[in-house]
Amino acid sequence: MSSNAITIFLLFLNISIFPAISALNQEGHSLLSWLSTFNSSFSSTFFSTWDPSHQNPCKWDYVGCSSNGFVSEIIITSVNLPTGFPTQLLSFNHLTTLVLSNGNLTGEIPRSIGNLSSLSTLDLSFNSLTGDIPAEIGRLSKLQLLALNTNSLHGEIPKEIGNCSRLRQLELFDNQLSGKIPAEIGQLLALETFRAGGNPGIYGQIPMQISNCKGLLFLGLADTGISGEIPSSLGELKHLETLSVYTSNLTGSIPAEIGNCSALENLYLYENQLSGNVPDELASLTNLKKLLLWQNNLTGSIPDALGNCLALEVIDLSMNFLSGQIPGSLANLVGLEELLLSENYLSGEIPPFVGNFFGLKQLELDNNRFTGDIPPAIGQLKELSLFFAWQNQLHGSIPAELARCEKLQALDLSHNFLNGSIPHYLFHLKNLTQLLLISNRLSGEIPPDIGYCIGLIRLRLGSNYFSGRIPSEIGLLHQLSFLELSDNQFNGEIPPEIGNCTQLEMVDLHNNRLHGTIPTSVEFLVSLNVLDLSKNSIAGSVPENLRMLTSLNKLVISENYITGSIPKSLGLCRDLQLLDMSSNRLTGSIPDEIGRLQGLDILLNLSRNSLTGPIPESFANLSKLSNLDLSYNMLTGTLTVLGSLDNLVSLNVSYNNFSGLLPDTKFFHDLPDSVYAGNQELCINRNKCHIDGSHHGKNTRNLVLSTLLSVTVTLLVVLLGGLLFIRIRGAYFGRKDEDNLEWDFTPFQKLNFTVNDILTKLSDSNIVGKGVSGIVYRVEAPMKQVIAVKRLWPLKNGEVPERDLFSAEVRALGSIRHKNIVRLLGCCNNGKTRLLLFDYISNGSLAELLHEKKVLGVAVLCVNPSPEERPTMKDVIAMLKEIRHENEDFEKPKYRGKEAATNPKADHSSSFSRSSEPLIRSPS
């Protein structure tokens, strides 16, 4: 326990044991009692003057007394008070001022606060108070200031506040209040400040009654759910200086009556849904300093009348739908510091009179339709720190006069039609941190003067016609974080001095004419997130020391002449999300370490190299990977390890030497054959891998199903008594001959029976169908598995009639609505007779198919007792196609959704992010 705490404790002890000795009055005891609830060695240092030996607390810090010795004010600010509201003070009848702000008070405001009837000032702001605003505050008839802002108060604003008739300042902002603003606010005739912003739960309209508060100076309802139109009656507030209702849901037009608020200095209505024109009546606001109307739905032109607001310092009309030209009357606004008009439909030329705004600090004209040249007069703006004119239709060259803007920090002229070279004196601007000239028609070389621009953080010159070498002086830019020189005509080598730019986060040099090797000095770029050197003529090997780039997210070195092997050290770049080394001359195997890049989720592209060996087993770790391209290499082995990559959405392994079966997953089965092309020994379809014949599509499988159905129904026809003797006799002699021959049994599936189990069941009693080319038997294997066996006999020239192509098509068996109706199990051959074995493995019952009477009709045609009368396969295909298409049309779900409308405006974020193109091009 500290000495101060001991002292206070002894003082309390002394008071309690010897009360007659202490002269401290009751108010002093109450204050010490409150102090004891949170006393600590820290807080005691702030209250060291609170001496219990005094007669009253009037000489204590933070306490003031009236002439008769009663406590009249307590003002404690920015002192940690880890306790609740001091209920001990509620008996202080003479208290007029209670300020306990920024003290970390917790708990609720007691309802007995209404007992402090003498209060004129109550400030509990910047604490951690919770609960409702007690209605009893309405009993404080002398209250002039109520500040409860920046707490965690909730509930509605009590209407009883309207009874505080002397209230001048009401600050409730930054809480969790909800409900509507009570109309009783209009009873506060002395009100000068009303701030309730930062309470998203407050909704409804601005009450018209607030216009009764004729002395109102500040009305703040920003960042709330306030909606509806701005009441025109606000025009009656002649003394209003600030109207702040931004980031809300206001609709309708800005009322012309706002022009009657002759004292208005700040009009903040941005981020709403206001529409219509900017009213001409704003011309009457001769005291207006800041006009912020950005991100609304305002239309029409910038009013000429705005030029009469001679006090204007900031105009922000960006992110609206304004059109027309910048009015010439704005030339009168010589005190303008910010002119922000971006993301509109403004046209015409940038007026030269902008150069007369000698105090202008920010000029944002981006995302409009401005044409013509950039006026050299802008070079007269000595205070200019930011100039954005990107995404326009500007022509001509970058005026050399811009180099006179000595305070210029950010210049973005991207996406225009500017030509010529960069004025070399522009790089002499010591304060320039961001230079963006993306997508123009600029040419020439980057001058060595760039080394003088030592404060440069972002340099983005992509998509131009720059040529020559990248100057070595770029290594002097030690603050550089973004370097984008892509899509130009730079040649020569990447300067090794780039390794001095240790703050670099992005280096994008793709699509140039660079040659040489990747400099080993890149190992010093330890903050690098993106490195794109693709589409150049870079040779040599991949540096081993890339392992030092542990923050690297994207590495793209595709379409170069890089040789050697993929370094194992890349496995240390644990943050890699995208790795593209395609279209090079890489050799050797894929190192296991690549498979340990578990963060790799966007793309792994090693295609079009000369890589050999199998896919590493470690690839099973790439569980997040969505795009994998290994095509056009000489890789071998199976694709088994890829079967566990559940997040794959795109795969290409074509033109390698892969073999074996595909992983048995839906993803691999649904991929087009083209992604497997060029792998001669790769089994794309498990049912076709060991069967000769051409590939067939779904139509053929559907066709063969119908043939299967026909064979089944033929059972009713072929069991004619007159043929029984002939068949028995033929079967007997046939079997006798076959028994003398050795059977060659080729299984296509894993079977649990032998060829002998089949041969012994080929009796006439098991015949279920007959065709021109053979007989179909029903055989029950020892494990009760029912098998269909087709026995083929020799035909002329070995041909099978078109009307009996059952055996030739069995490898493509399927159904109209169900896959895998039958499965080929194997074949037997003894040189004279061939047996085909298949079973029925439909995912749905046969009855589900037969309920379609059209299919049944086709089946009936196919079971005609005379094979010559059956329809040809071509005819069956045509009939089944028609049935399938009819079913698909009937079952196709109706599209009830509506295409989401795209917002024509970009996000109103930093211009440098808004103008940035993707750092890495997405894989197609």
Side-chain angles (χ1 to χ4, degrees), residues 589-709:
S589 59
I590 303 173
D592 288 340
E593 287 75 7
I594 298 298
R596 296 178 189 144
L597 297 172
Q598 297 186 25
L600 207 59
D601 57 357
I602 300 175
L603 171 69
L604 174 58
N605 190 348
L606 305 177
S607 66
R608 298 181 184 274
N609 282 286
S610 299
L611 299 173
T612 56
I615 299 173
E617 291 297 321
S618 60
F619 268 42
N621 298 321
L622 304 178
S623 57
K624 300 178 182 178
L625 189 62
S626 55
N627 298 280
L628 175 61
D629 192 346
L630 303 175
S631 61
Y632 291 93
N633 278 288
M634 295 181 285
L635 299 170
T636 56
T638 69
L639 303 179
T640 304
V641 68
L642 304 183
S644 62
L645 305 186
D646 296 333
N647 281 319
L648 275 183
V649 296
S650 172
L651 173 69
N652 193 346
V653 293
S654 61
Y655 299 97
N656 280 281
N657 297 316
F658 290 119
S659 59
L661 297 172
L662 293 183
D664 193 13
T665 68
K666 184 178 186 301
F667 172 74
F668 278 87
H669 292 319
D670 290 347
L671 287 174
D673 289 351
S674 59
V675 305
Y676 305 121
N679 292 281
Q680 299 301 320
E681 302 196 11
L682 187 62
C683 176
I684 298 175
N685 190 315
R686 291 169 179 257
N687 296 333
K688 301 178 183 180
C689 293
H690 300 289
I691 298 180
D692 296 329
S694 60
H695 294 284
H696 301 278
K698 291 182 179 179
N699 292 334
T700 306
R701 293 197 299 272
N702 296 341
L703 201 172
V704 178
L705 169 64
S706 299
T707 307
L708 173 62
L709 295 177

Side-chain angles (χ1 to χ4, degrees), residues 98-330:
L98 177 58
V99 177
L100 301 173
S101 66
N102 195 26
N104 197 30
L105 285 177
T106 57
E108 300 185 1
I109 302 171
R111 299 194 179 280
S112 50
I113 190 76
N115 296 336
L116 297 176
S117 56
S118 297
L119 269 184
S120 63
T121 297
L122 176 59
D123 185 352
L124 303 176
S125 61
F126 295 96
N127 283 294
S128 301
L129 297 170
T130 56
D132 296 343
I133 299 173
E136 287 75 6
I137 283 182
R139 291 162 49 189
L140 304 179
S141 58
K142 296 181 180 179
L143 199 63
Q144 297 183 29
L145 183 151
L146 176 60
L148 303 178
N149 59 280
T150 321
N151 280 283
S152 297
L153 300 171
H154 51 76
E156 298 186 356
I157 300 172
K159 61 182 180 181
E160 289 80 2
I161 278 185
N163 298 327
C164 302
S165 57
R166 298 186 184 181
L167 199 61
R168 294 177 179 272
Q169 194 167 342
L170 177 56
E171 300 193 349
L172 307 176
F173 61 91
D174 290 346
N175 278 285
Q176 298 172 20
L177 300 175
S178 56
K180 296 183 178 181
I181 297 172
E184 286 76 5
I185 292 289
Q187 299 173 16
L188 305 176
L189 302 183
L191 194 64
E192 296 176 355
T193 298
F194 176 38
R195 301 181 64 186
N199 290 287
I202 291 179
Y203 64 92
Q205 297 185 345
I206 301 173
M208 295 179 61
Q209 293 84 349
I210 206 166
S211 60
N212 296 331
C213 308
K214 303 300 183 185
L216 197 64
L217 302 175
F218 193 113
L219 176 57
L221 299 173
D223 196 15
T224 63
I226 289 291
S227 59
E229 298 188 1
I230 300 171
S232 58
S233 59
L234 291 186
E236 300 173 20
L237 303 177
K238 306 296 184 182
H239 300 284
L240 190 65
E241 295 176 355
T242 298
L243 176 57
S244 177
V245 196
Y246 59 84
T247 316
S248 296
N249 298 312
L250 293 175
T251 54
S253 59
I254 300 172
E257 289 79 1
I258 289 291
N260 297 328
C261 301
S262 54
L264 198 63
E265 296 181 3
N266 305 301
L267 182 57
Y268 303 146
L269 299 176
Y270 59 87
E271 287 191 311
N272 279 287
Q273 301 168 37
L274 297 171
S275 56
N277 297 341
V278 179
D280 288 334
E281 286 76 8
L282 295 184
S284 303
L285 304 179
T286 55
N287 294 304
L288 191 64
K289 294 180 180 179
K290 296 181 180 180
L291 176 63
L292 275 59
L293 304 179
W294 59 272
Q295 196 166 332
N296 278 287
N297 299 316
L298 299 173
T299 55
S301 59
I302 301 173
D304 285 327
L306 210 56
N308 296 327
C309 303
L310 300 181
L312 267 173
E313 297 172 357
V314 178
I315 298 176
D316 192 345
L317 304 177
S318 56
M319 299 187 73
N320 280 288
F321 297 92
L322 300 173
S323 56
Q325 300 184 5
I326 297 177
S329 62
L330 295 192

Side-chain angles (χ1 to χ4, degrees), residues 442-461:
L442 298 169
S443 57
E445 300 185 4
I446 299 177
D449 303 60
I450 194 171
Y452 295 116
C453 203
I454 55 175
L456 204 58
I457 296 174
R458 293 194 175 204
L459 177 62
R460 308 195 65 180
L461 308 179

Side-chain angles (χ1 to χ4, degrees), residues 857-873:
V858 175
V860 170
L861 294 175
C862 293
V863 297
N864 192 298
S866 173
E868 288 77 16
E869 297 295 323
R870 299 171 190 168
T872 66
M873 286 294 182

Side-chain angles (χ1 to χ4, degrees), residues 404-641:
R404 298 177 186 171
C405 301
E406 297 173 354
K407 295 185 179 180
L408 192 62
Q409 298 177 24
L411 176 62
D412 191 346
L413 305 176
S414 303
H415 302 285
N416 280 289
F417 302 102
L418 300 174
N419 53 39
S421 59
I422 303 175
H424 64 96
Y425 279 115
L426 205 58
F427 292 113
H428 290 243
L429 294 172
K430 302 294 185 183
N431 295 304
L432 191 64
T433 61
Q434 306 189 54
L435 176 60
L436 282 77
L437 304 174
I438 302 166
S439 190
N440 277 284
R441 297 172 178 175
L442 298 169
S443 57
E445 300 185 4
I446 299 177
D449 303 60
I450 194 171
Y452 295 116
C453 203
I454 55 175
L456 204 58
I457 296 174
R458 293 194 175 204
L459 177 62
R460 308 195 65 180
L461 308 179
S463 301
N464 279 286
Y465 298 100
F466 291 115
S467 57
R469 293 176 175 268
I470 299 173
S472 59
E473 287 79 6
I474 210 162
L476 299 174
L477 308 181
H478 296 163
Q479 305 301 316
L480 197 63
S481 67
F482 271 60
L483 175 62
E484 182 190 353
L485 306 177
S486 60
D487 293 298
N488 279 287
Q489 299 171 15
F490 289 111
N491 53 45
E493 299 186 2
I494 301 171
E497 289 81 3
I498 198 172
N500 298 328
C501 305
T502 55
Q503 301 299 313
L504 273 171
E505 298 175 13
M506 184 191 83
V507 175
D508 187 355
L509 307 179
H510 83 267
N511 200 19
N512 278 285
R513 300 172 182 176
L514 299 172
H515 54 80
T517 61
I518 300 174
T520 56
S521 60
V522 296
E523 68 174 310
F524 300 113
L525 307 182
V526 293
S527 299
L528 203 61
N529 299 137
V530 176
L531 177 60
D532 190 347
L533 306 178
S534 60
K535 297 186 178 180
N536 280 287
S537 300
I538 297 171
S541 59
V542 181
E544 286 281 347
N545 59 10
L546 286 184
R547 68 183 182 276
M548 306 299 293
L549 308 183
T550 54
S551 298
L552 202 61
N553 300 137
K554 299 177 177 67
L555 174 60
V556 184
I557 56 174
S558 57
E559 296 187 51
N560 279 289
Y561 299 107
I562 296 173
T563 57
S565 58
I566 300 173
K568 295 180 179 180
S569 58
L570 276 182
L572 297 176
C573 300
R574 301 293 187 188
D575 289 341
L576 267 180
Q577 296 175 269
L578 187 153
L579 176 58
D580 189 348
M581 309 177 77
S582 61
S583 300
N584 278 289
R585 298 174 178 177
L586 296 171
T587 56
S589 59
I590 303 173
D592 288 340
E593 287 75 7
I594 298 298
R596 296 178 189 144
L597 297 172
Q598 297 186 25
L600 207 59
D601 57 357
I602 300 175
L603 171 69
L604 174 58
N605 190 348
L606 305 177
S607 66
R608 298 181 184 274
N609 282 286
S610 299
L611 299 173
T612 56
I615 299 173
E617 291 297 321
S618 60
F619 268 42
N621 298 321
L622 304 178
S623 57
K624 300 178 182 178
L625 189 62
S626 55
N627 298 280
L628 175 61
D629 192 346
L630 303 175
S631 61
Y632 291 93
N633 278 288
M634 295 181 285
L635 299 170
T636 56
T638 69
L639 303 179
T640 304
V641 68

Side-chain angles (χ1 to χ4, degrees), residues 387-405:
F387 177 28
F388 293 165
W390 59 278
Q391 198 71 57
N392 278 288
Q393 300 168 29
L394 299 172
H395 289 77
S397 59
I398 301 172
E401 288 80 0
L402 282 180
R404 298 177 186 171
C405 301

